[in-house]
Each structure stands twice: as structure tokens, then as C-alpha cells.
Amino acid sequence: MENYSNPRKFAFKIIELLKTTDIKQIKLVGSLSENNFDEYSDIDIELNDNKQSPVENINIALNSISKKYDILFSDWAKSLLPDKYVLSVFLKQKNIFRFIDLTCFKDANFSDTTRDQLPQDKIYHIFKLWICNAKQEIRNRHDRNFIDLLFVKLFINNDSISNKTKFEKVLDWLHTNSDNNYLLKECDRIMDKINDNIPITLAK
Amino acid sequence: MFNQYDKKYATKKFYWGKEPTSLCYKTLEMFPPVKPIKLLDVGCGEGRNAVFFARNGYDVTAFDLASAGVEKTKQLAEEAGVSVNAFVADMNEYRLTENFDIIFSTGTLHYIPEEIRKELFQNYKEHTNENGLHVFSVFVKKPFIEPAPDSESTAKKWISGELMNYYHDWKIEHSIEEIFDCMSGGIPHKHVSNRIIARKFSGEL
């Protein structure tokens, strides 16, 4: 398992790798490009090439990443369709928060890809949403924490329970429904830190 | 069980190398690992493709007739820190009893005798999940291509279109026939291969 201590350095490694494809434009965006990242930041990469459809561009990029890095799972952000195509790619690495978001915008030259055409697994989608929200909980960015929305995907809404309990309940659901011990262990580790109110120390 | 490949795989060196074939990347594009997708590699050789898939989030089962190949598959998986359920089996006798999302095979299916192909492919098709893929590459015979100097008597090359025939009721996602150069046996020669990716599909387009 590789260890990527410097997120910007790692992001540029990914960019270099993607430049070996024939995708015309590959751009680092988001916090890493704006230099306001932290240890929980993901890597946002924008792809642009009108030779092929947005989904094809993203698949080419995914393909390229798989040559050098080990993919844990990937998940489409279907709610952003059809204007924006985003695939989150989680790699087998010590910092689970440092996943790659591959983004490509709608291209009028190609017909839209519908939600049904993109594969998605409910359990892994919940994993992604849990990790994304956990990151905001750790950062104390409650304005960006949508654990309520995730919670009601699985349980009946209950305003009287705390965010922490909601995180726990969703994680319990994942334990019941998934046998991916690697991911569950990572999430347990994050949950412990949320419970302890201690900022998580990530592997360097 | 011992076959010609046991000898080829007996050395430390990987006879086919450790890099996956291009068809693996095509498969990744067609069926990205949004979960541990169940993939079967039929005739996995020394495991270069099986380990690629395992590295990238697939739940991989693989078998080969050559026990030395299966051992090297396990070794390669261990080196990569992944798990592949690899075992020795003869594809001409082994039949599937569980379902897979992807059945993958490259450079092996010409060892299936013509008379059992239909029945074998029926078994594979029946044990493929809805929306699942078959990703196959087979050698095709052509009158204008000389047989390879190291061609084996047990091999029964396919004819153009034969593989496609088994998938008349599936969605053909990709199909190509290509002539390529080969250096196996140390003498330059050519092969023709037919690559196909077919999807079990009963939904609406």
C-alpha cells in the first residue's frame, strides 16, 4: 500500500498520469488548486475533451489510474446529472479521505447519460456519503454536513437524536450490510475519533 | 494434472509477463468497480489479468489447468496484497454452479473442442448475472495466415463470427478482429484474434 503524505504532490502525480492519456484538458481544481486544502481534502480533477462523451472521458481517466494505483471502489454522483458527471475513485491507501473526484461537464455534442445507465451500488454509495459527511463532522463544518439526509435514506427521520448517533446508526447499517472489512475498519477508526472529539491523525 | 504450460510456468520468470492485457482496461471501462464485482478468469495462466482486477476492486475467482500457473497467480496476488480465489481446473470439464458478473478469458478458449463449445457457453451464460459481461478473446483461423511455429495440436482455433453466434441474444458492446504480430517460440509470426464484449441484457434501452 502506498503512502501519499503530501496531498498536492500526490494530486500532481495523478495529473501526470492522466496526461499520458489523450484527454485534451486535465485540470486540478478545488481546494488543492486553491491552496486551501487540509489533510481531509479530496482531489478534484476536471477533464475536458469533446472527442468523446463525458462518461468516456471519465472512464479513460479511471482506466489510466488503474494502471498505477489500486482502486478500492468508485461511485457516481448521480444527483449532479446531466449537467455534471462526477465519479469518485477511492484508492487503497491509508488516508481514505483522499479520494479522487473525476469531473466532466455536459457536452452538447453527446446525448445525456441517464441515471439508469450508470452503475451504482447502494452500499458503496452509502460508504462514500458517510465518509464525505464524516470529514465535515471532523472539520466541524456543520454547514456542509448532510448526515441528516443520509440518515433518512436508511431510517425514519428522528430529529431528537444527535448527529453522532446518526453517524453511528448509518455505520451500524454498513456493518450489517457489507463484508468489506477494510472499509469498515477505516470507518470505525473515523467513528472513534468523531466520538472522542479528537481530530483524527492521518498516516503521513 | 500436468500440461505443457506447467513447464512454461515452472520458471521464476512470468511467461506472459505481469502486465494485464488491453482487454482488462476495456472491461474496467465497461464495468467499473462500483462494488466488489464478481469476476471469473477462465484459464488465468500466471494471473496477470486476475491480479489486475483484484487490485482494482473486483472479487476475483480464477482457474487454470496448469497448477504452476495457479501457484504463480497466488504468488502474484500476494505480492500485490490482494486476494484471488485461484484453483486448478480443466475448463473442458469444469462447469459453473455459481453466478458471476463478469466472465473473462483471453488466449485460452481455443482449447475447447468444437463439440462442447455450445454447451459450455450455455453454462457460462446461465451463470452470469443480469447486466453482466462476457469478455473473451479467441484465436481465429484464416487461410492467409500461416500457422504459428509453436502451434499446438490440441488447439482448435475459432472461425470468424463463431464466437459472436453464441451471443445473438445478448447486447454486443464491443467486437473486433485483429491481425497481430507475435514472437512466441522466438520466430516472428502472426495471429488473428477476435475480441468480444457481450452484455446479458433484458432491460429496455
Side-chain angles (χ1 to χ4, degrees):
Chain A
M1 192 183 295
E2 285 198 49
N3 205 343
Y4 314 106
S5 57
N6 182 328
R8 260 175 82 84
K9 206 171 158 188
F10 177 52
F12 282 114
K13 268 185 167 183
I14 299 287
I15 298 277
E16 283 308 307
L17 186 64
L18 297 182
K19 280 184 178 168
T20 62
T21 68
D22 60 355
I23 298 173
K24 210 157 56 186
Q25 213 178 68
I26 298 151
K27 212 163 72 180
L28 184 65
V29 294
S31 61
L32 283 162
S33 73
E34 291 153 10
N35 227 358
N36 58 1
F37 61 93
D38 61 20
E39 56 193 325
Y40 313 110
S41 296
D42 55 6
I43 297 169
D44 295 306
I45 295 174
E46 216 174 274
L47 310 166
N48 182 21
D49 194 330
N50 54 14
K51 285 198 302 295
Q52 52 269 322
S53 73
V55 172
E56 283 169 331
N57 278 324
I58 289 174
N59 280 336
I60 289 169
L62 177 72
N63 199 322
S64 174
I65 291 168
S66 75
K67 289 179 185 170
K68 189 150 183 209
Y69 300 98
D70 296 357
I71 297 170
L72 195 58
F73 73 99
S74 57
D75 184 67
W76 287 99
K78 291 190 178 189
S79 60
L80 303 175
L81 292 174
D83 299 324
K84 202 175 172 185
Y85 295 78
V86 181
L87 181 71
S88 302
V89 182
F90 287 78
L91 303 178
K92 285 176 198 154
Q93 53 172 325
K94 288 187 177 172
N95 184 347
I96 199 73
F97 294 113
R98 201 166 294 155
F99 56 89
I100 305 163
D101 267 350
L102 298 169
T103 299
C104 197
F105 288 95
K106 178 188 174 86
D107 186 333
N109 295 316
F110 296 92
S111 55
D112 292 336
T113 301
T114 63
R115 293 168 73 106
D116 294 343
Q117 287 171 307
L118 295 176
Q120 190 168 61
D121 181 77
K122 183 181 178 184
I123 296 168
Y124 283 83
H125 184 58
I126 301 290
F127 264 122
K128 178 187 83 173
L129 297 177
W130 191 92
I131 291 166
C132 291
N133 284 302
K135 174 204 308 202
Q136 304 302 351
E137 181 73 17
I138 292 165
R139 282 172 168 162
N140 277 322
R141 288 296 305 266
H142 298 295
D143 56 325
R144 291 188 180 184
N145 186 344
F146 302 109
I147 186 64
D148 286 339
L149 296 178
L150 177 55
F151 184 81
V152 297
K153 277 181 194 279
L154 305 172
F155 307 101
I156 297 163
N157 193 23
N158 186 344
D159 289 331
S160 65
I161 62 174
S162 68
N163 268 4
K164 273 182 196 170
T165 309
K166 285 177 181 170
F167 272 106
E168 266 167 2
K169 280 191 165 292
V170 176
L171 186 54
D172 285 346
W173 184 90
L174 286 168
H175 272 281
T176 308
N177 290 284
S178 172
D179 56 4
N180 190 323
N181 292 331
Y182 175 85
L183 259 177
L184 290 169
K185 219 170 125 186
E186 282 300 301
C187 293
D188 285 344
R189 209 166 64 87
I190 296 166
M191 192 68 235
D192 287 346
K193 300 296 176 186
I194 291 175
N195 278 332
D196 293 346
N197 273 331
I198 298 168
I200 189 167
T201 308
L202 296 165
K204 288 194 174 171
Chain B
M1 209 180 296
F2 184 85
N3 77 351
Q4 55 181 321
Y5 284 102
D6 271 305
K7 199 175 167 189
K8 287 174 179 167
Y9 299 158
T11 61
K12 273 191 174 176
K13 201 179 161 195
F14 278 69
Y15 187 79
W16 304 109
K18 293 182 179 178
E19 291 300 313
T21 66
S22 58
L23 209 48
C24 291
Y25 297 111
K26 195 83 193 160
T27 309
L28 188 85
E29 284 179 22
M30 296 269 175
F31 213 140
V34 292
K35 62 174 181 175
I37 289 158
K38 277 174 71 73
L39 181 143
L40 173 71
D41 185 353
V42 176
C44 62
E46 298 158 296
R48 59 184 179 140
N49 300 321
V51 171
F52 166 83
F53 286 119
R55 274 209 307 104
N56 287 299
Y58 296 78
D59 175 6
V60 183
T61 300
F63 70 83
D64 200 279
L65 181 60
S67 54
V70 170
E71 279 315 304
K72 279 169 111 171
T73 299
K74 289 177 182 170
Q75 178 201 326
L76 198 58
E78 202 181 317
E79 278 173 27
V82 295
S83 160
V84 171
N85 172 28
F87 57 92
V88 176
D90 181 347
M91 72 178 161
N92 292 332
E93 291 169 8
Y94 183 76
R95 294 294 177 270
L96 304 185
T97 52
E98 63 170 313
N99 275 24
F100 290 89
D101 296 303
I102 301 174
I103 301 181
F104 180 96
S105 183
T106 176
T108 306
L109 301 182
H110 53 289
Y111 292 113
I112 308 171
E114 285 142 338
E115 59 274 19
I116 67 163
R117 283 178 186 172
K118 189 177 176 190
E119 177 263 315
L120 181 59
F121 274 78
Q122 194 54 36
N123 172 259
Y124 286 1
K125 286 171 79 175
E126 281 170 8
H127 288 89
T128 304
N129 290 329
E130 192 63 27
N131 209 35
L133 295 179
H134 280 192
V135 182
F136 294 139
S137 172
V138 296
F139 289 117
V140 175
K141 58 185 167 200
K142 292 282 181 187
F144 51 86
I145 301 284
E146 288 289 313
D150 57 349
S151 67
E152 303 131 332
S153 56
T154 48
K156 300 281 177 213
K157 282 189 178 178
W158 293 64
I159 58 169
S160 286
E162 186 185 350
L163 184 58
M164 181 90 97
N165 248 328
Y166 292 115
Y167 295 98
H168 64 90
D169 49 351
W170 283 29
K171 185 170 181 270
I172 307 298
E173 298 276 13
H174 172 81
S175 176
I176 191 166
E177 190 169 283
E178 270 182 345
I179 300 174
F180 64 96
D181 294 312
C182 184
M183 276 296 287
S184 67
I187 303 164
H189 56 278
K190 290 187 189 298
H191 284 293
V192 185
S193 79
N194 178 203
R195 278 178 273 159
I196 190 170
I197 300 182
R199 191 183 293 274
K200 189 171 185 173
F201 195 74
S202 59
E204 282 177 30
L205 283 174

